[in-house]
Amino acid sequence: MKNSKQNTMNKAELVAKIADDAGFSKSQANAALDAFTGAVTKALKSGNKVTLVGFGTFSVTKRNARTGRNPQTGAAIKIKAKKVARFKAGKELSAKL
């Protein structure tokens, strides 16, 4: 696994790691990762939570509308309310970090 200066893993590196660890081809690992992200996205869109025991929980939370500042001009701007995805790490994952 090759890391950049910020120690981030991109999708191609994650797919290669999954393929290596699970004994899959890269195309199978990519399909599995795409299926996982698609399933989580679909569940969140329909208002459900996705809990993986020992790993964490994906959920959707609402952010209220608020007033912000334009950093260039300092002028007040209105920021609309929106829904955002959230991930909370489980106890096992937190303990391993």
Side-chain angles (χ1 to χ4, degrees), residues 31-92:
L33 183 58
D34 286 345
F36 171 76
T37 56
V40 170
T41 301
K42 188 174 181 180
L44 294 177
K45 275 186 167 183
S46 62
N48 296 320
K49 288 183 180 181
V50 177
T51 301
L52 302 171
V53 176
F55 184 71
T57 302
F58 296 91
S59 62
V60 175
T61 58
K62 292 181 183 178
R63 282 199 185 149
N64 294 327
R66 62 191 193 278
T67 302
R69 296 265 174 216
N70 180 328
Q72 291 181 335
T73 64
I77 56 172
K78 291 181 181 179
I79 301 171
K80 294 180 181 180
K82 67 178 182 177
K83 293 179 183 179
V84 293
R86 179 175 178 229
F87 176 76
K88 182 176 183 200
K91 287 182 183 179
E92 269 185 56

Side-chain angles (χ1 to χ4, degrees), residues 14-36:
L14 180 58
V15 166
K17 180 71 172 149
I18 291 170
D20 187 47
D21 289 354
F24 294 159
S25 69
K26 285 186 182 179
S27 63
Q28 289 172 318
N30 189 57
L33 183 58
D34 286 345
F36 171 76

